[in-house]
Amino acid sequence: MTWAVVARKDFNDARRSRSLWGLSAAFLVLALLFAGLYAFVPEVTADEEMSTVGLMTFLAAPIALFVAVASLVVAYKSVAGEAESGSGNLLLGLPHTRRDVVLGKVVGRSLVLAVPVLVGLVAMLAIVFVGEVTFSAADYVLFGLVTMLFVLVYMAFFVGISASTTSTARAATLSVLALVILEFAWDVVPIGAWFVANGFVVPPGLFSGAAMPDWVAFLANMPPSSAYLNSVGGVLTGSMSGAGPWYLSQWFSLVVLAVWGIVPLVVGYLRYNRADL
Amino acid sequence: MAAIEIDRVTKRFDEVTALDELSMTIEEGEVFGFLGPNGAGKSTTIDILLDFVRPTSGSCTVLGMNPQRQPEAVRQRVGILPDGYHVYDRLTGRQHVQFAIDSKGGDDDPMALLERVDIADAADRKAGGYSKGRPQRLVLAMPLAGEPDLLVLDEPTTGLDPAGAREMRRIIEAEVDRGATVFFSSHILEQVEAICDRVAILNKGRIVTVDTIEGLRDTAGTATQLSIRVDAVPEGAIEAIEVLDGVQSVNASGTTVIVRIEDGSKTAILDVLESAGAEVLDFSTAETSLEELFAQFTTDSQRNRPSEADALASETEAEPAEVAR
């Protein structure tokens, strides 16, 4: 098990990348901007009292989008790029199994993204204290933990895609396609499925958003970001079970998140493991 | 125990057969040269030994282990300089070597390894900024980590100047003295000539010959090449010449027959052609050098391939015709 050596090499390599520094700076600005908005422009939310929970809820969606895009940038070349450029022969010429390589990549690159996200979260504390936001260390830590899990999941997802092909171009295409479907176009999926299941007749409440059947709600909750937001909501309110069926609960969203991380990674690994490099 | 044993390995990529029933054995402590033109299958062979690529059929062992089943155990004891490698642009030379050491769980001194390949001065610079030749030295330092039992070097002198190639040779010799087996591939004869105990010549995915350099030299020194131009090559004549004493190979192209013989009778060959109904128009002989021998081994068999054989015939500077009758 030499994945830790691969992870350290990868982290050392990636942390010198200019795009990572640009990404980190962008995240810092984004986090401070949103925290500032929340703390100093009361009109942006309906919160009567500014709290850590309120801030986190306000921040979760932009963070989710940032993590999704940033992990694509950090991960899409991780395995395919080494296979294509030939540095993979240097890497695999050393006593690493292909599993070590894939695991090491997930861990190394997750750290690469975790660092700027954590720095952003810590930097936001300044605004929490300056603007009179009620501070809850427990909520802050819980939010940080779920966000780290989310980083790990998206990184595993894109490393999995990268491992499934030996062409950087194809890895990029697949990754962007997946990102667009999951983060931008997913809204159509539950609505479309509902429409089809209703016999190609517009179901009542389709556009008003009311009375969505549970299974449609489940579809709507499926993308990693939705699952992350649902989990964050549960963790921050302290209620993981919710009112609806179990598959709409917040703890189940954590399971959905885990599936997004594990399944593509396993598929990508199996393809990589069979590949001629 | 053999350091490397390859048993009837075939590798097909889609429609292309890269290796065709390749078999060979490399003994422990040997310096073994793997020669062949680009595209002969040298890198594919090495990739299979290290489990970068899986054979379509056949099997191999490296240091007694099956690389398909125990890839990391094999790589733990093998130092590899891969072909077509790319260094990590953002990591320093020292980090590269340290990565190799850590991967093998060793405790070598990275600076000592960098000194052996003479790039200690650039240890803390990013490898992406290295000038030509330096990346090649760096990737030679990496397999030296952990005193491997077997060094596999795929085209190790690529990008090196003559002085660099000499240093490479010194390093290989030092590794052999330590007890390592060295397997290295090249498409340049003189590189393996100077250092190898034995060489295999590979062409189009097949082993053409395995011999010592002296053995090759003997073959080259005593063999003579005859070029016989006839009005038309009679049917069955090639086969008839092939079975004559001392004949090593026969190729025909258009109206020229090329025969390599080792102290056989030239007259007998001409007799065969004439009795088969051919008229001999021209006839020349040439001694083959080691380089020509290599070229001959690695050029496709000319039979039924007129254009290539014509090219070869005109390349081989023929001695003035010497009619043997």
Side-chain angles (χ1 to χ4, degrees):
Chain A
M1 292 302 276
T2 53
W3 60 266
V5 178
V6 178
R8 187 164 69 217
K9 188 278 302 174
D10 222 42
F11 182 73
N12 276 333
D13 188 12
R15 76 189 162 88
R16 286 181 170 77
S17 130
R18 287 224 178 92
S19 62
L20 177 72
W21 286 97
L23 220 57
S24 307
F27 182 73
L28 199 61
V29 170
L30 184 91
L32 292 177
L33 188 76
F34 272 83
L37 270 178
Y38 178 79
F40 303 114
V41 190
E43 290 78 12
V44 297
T45 61
D47 292 7
E48 284 169 16
E49 192 188 344
M50 288 181 295
S51 63
T52 307
V53 172
L55 173 64
M56 297 298 147
T57 313
F58 183 64
L59 266 173
I63 287 184
L65 187 60
F66 172 80
V67 168
V69 174
S71 50
L72 183 151
V73 173
V74 172
Y76 83 97
K77 276 204 285 197
S78 58
V79 182
E82 292 231 28
E84 194 174 85
S85 75
S87 60
N89 288 355
L90 222 49
L91 178 62
L92 274 176
L94 295 165
H96 309 292
T97 60
R98 297 192 190 188
R99 189 175 57 205
D100 291 329
V101 170
V102 171
L103 276 182
K105 292 281 172 185
V106 172
V107 174
R109 308 256 160 158
S110 293
L111 281 175
V112 163
L113 187 55
V115 169
V117 170
L118 286 176
V119 167
L121 288 181
V122 171
M124 276 190 322
L125 282 176
I127 289 180
V128 168
F129 290 125
V130 173
E132 292 162 349
V133 181
T134 329
F135 177 66
S136 157
D139 287 344
Y140 221 88
V141 169
L142 278 174
F143 179 77
L145 284 177
V146 178
T147 304
M148 288 303 107
L149 172 72
F150 182 58
V151 167
L152 188 64
V153 163
Y154 245 128
M155 207 58 77
F157 180 81
F158 285 121
V159 169
I161 289 180
S162 188
S164 70
T165 170
T166 49
S167 141
T168 311
R170 191 174 304 157
T173 310
L174 288 173
S175 300
V176 170
L177 203 65
L179 181 78
V180 167
I181 291 172
L182 291 176
E183 291 295 328
F184 302 106
W186 190 263
D187 286 353
V188 201
V189 173
I191 292 172
W194 192 4
F195 175 70
V196 172
N198 204 38
F200 293 93
V201 176
V202 177
L206 178 61
F207 296 111
S208 65
M212 193 187 267
D214 285 342
W215 68 270
V216 178
F218 173 71
L219 273 184
N221 275 348
M222 265 198 23
S225 293
S226 310
Y228 164 70
L229 294 178
N230 205 23
S231 313
V232 164
V235 166
L236 292 181
T237 55
S239 153
M240 293 301 285
S241 50
W246 58 271
Y247 55 83
L248 291 182
S249 66
Q250 284 77 6
W251 68 259
F252 194 72
S253 284
L254 284 176
V255 175
V256 170
L257 262 189
V259 169
W260 279 116
I262 292 165
V263 173
L265 187 66
V266 169
V267 172
Y269 162 70
L270 290 176
R271 283 180 58 90
Y272 178 57
N273 202 32
R274 273 200 306 269
D276 283 338
L277 302 175
Chain B
M1 190 185 60
I4 295 174
E5 192 143 24
I6 299 174
D7 185 22
R8 281 166 293 152
V9 164
T10 295
K11 177 64 190 177
R12 274 187 284 275
F13 294 102
D14 299 322
E15 296 301 300
V16 183
T17 301
L19 295 179
D20 191 3
E21 299 259 315
L22 187 88
S23 296
M24 63 178 177
T25 304
I26 292 148
E27 300 299 335
E28 261 180 20
E30 210 175 6
V31 183
F32 194 92
F34 201 32
L35 267 170
N38 293 326
K42 302 189 299 289
S43 286
T44 304
T45 307
I46 288 174
D47 285 352
I48 287 174
L49 294 175
L50 293 156
D51 191 41
F52 297 161
V53 163
R54 278 64 186 261
T56 309
S57 65
S59 64
C60 59
T61 61
V62 177
L63 302 169
M65 295 175 285
N66 179 328
Q68 273 67 50
R69 282 197 220 111
Q70 301 171 271
E72 72 274 42
V74 166
R75 296 182 203 128
Q76 182 68 37
R77 292 177 55 201
V78 175
I80 159 90
L81 189 166
D83 184 35
Y85 66 87
H86 188 266
V87 295
Y88 296 104
D89 291 345
R90 292 187 294 253
L91 295 183
T92 65
R94 188 202 296 264
Q95 282 172 320
H96 274 84
V97 176
Q98 189 65 53
F99 175 52
I101 295 168
D102 292 346
S103 298
K104 293 204 160 167
D107 55 0
D108 311 54
D109 173 13
M111 286 311 290
L113 289 174
L114 291 171
E115 268 157 26
R116 281 187 70 184
V117 296
D118 208 18
I119 51 166
D121 56 315
D124 293 314
R125 293 216 317 265
K126 288 181 188 174
Y130 279 10
S131 58
K132 218 163 179 267
R134 279 205 158 143
Q136 185 71 17
R137 287 161 184 262
L138 175 58
V139 293
L140 175 65
M142 293 175 71
L144 298 180
E147 304 208 326
D149 298 327
L150 169 65
L151 271 171
V152 176
L153 311 172
D154 199 353
E155 300 276 355
T157 48
T158 309
L160 292 182
D161 53 17
R166 268 199 305 279
E167 278 174 49
M168 167 81 61
R169 214 173 108 188
R170 248 193 16 245
I171 290 168
I172 292 175
E173 280 161 356
E175 289 295 297
V176 172
D177 289 344
R178 182 175 61 72
T181 308
V182 178
F183 177 64
F184 93 90
S185 80
S186 179
H187 63 282
I188 301 167
L189 175 71
E190 59 183 26
Q191 286 179 355
V192 301
E193 201 182 333
I195 193 169
C196 288
D197 300 320
R198 284 200 302 154
V199 294
I201 297 179
L202 187 72
N203 191 36
K204 309 248 168 186
R206 288 165 179 270
I207 297 275
V208 190
T209 186
V210 181
D211 207 343
T212 59
I213 290 289
E214 293 75 45
L216 279 183
R217 226 187 278 281
D218 287 347
T219 312
T222 59
T224 309
Q225 178 170 306
L226 311 184
S227 299
I228 310 155
R229 201 157 63 80
V230 290
D231 56 345
V233 180
E235 208 158 302
I238 300 297
E239 287 74 11
I241 295 170
E242 227 164 25
V243 298
L244 292 175
D245 273 351
V247 170
Q248 289 183 338
S249 68
V250 190
N251 299 301
S253 75
T255 57
T256 305
V257 179
I258 296 165
V259 187
R260 281 172 41 77
I261 55 166
E262 199 169 343
D263 53 64
S265 161
K266 295 163 191 168
T267 320
I269 294 164
L270 297 179
D271 283 347
V272 166
L273 281 171
E274 289 193 328
S275 63
E279 187 189 340
V280 176
L281 303 174
D282 196 7
F283 169 58
S284 66
T285 64
E287 298 274 304
T288 38
S289 70
L290 201 54
E291 197 66 49
E292 276 166 347
L293 186 73
F294 176 48
Q296 192 152 18
F297 274 135
T298 54
T299 316
D300 210 15
S301 170
Q302 286 93 17
R303 189 177 300 170
N304 303 328
R305 288 182 188 236
S307 58
E308 280 187 36
D310 280 343
L312 183 91
S314 60
E315 270 170 27
T316 317
E317 275 298 305
E319 299 274 317
E322 171 224 333
V323 178
R325 294 182 299 164

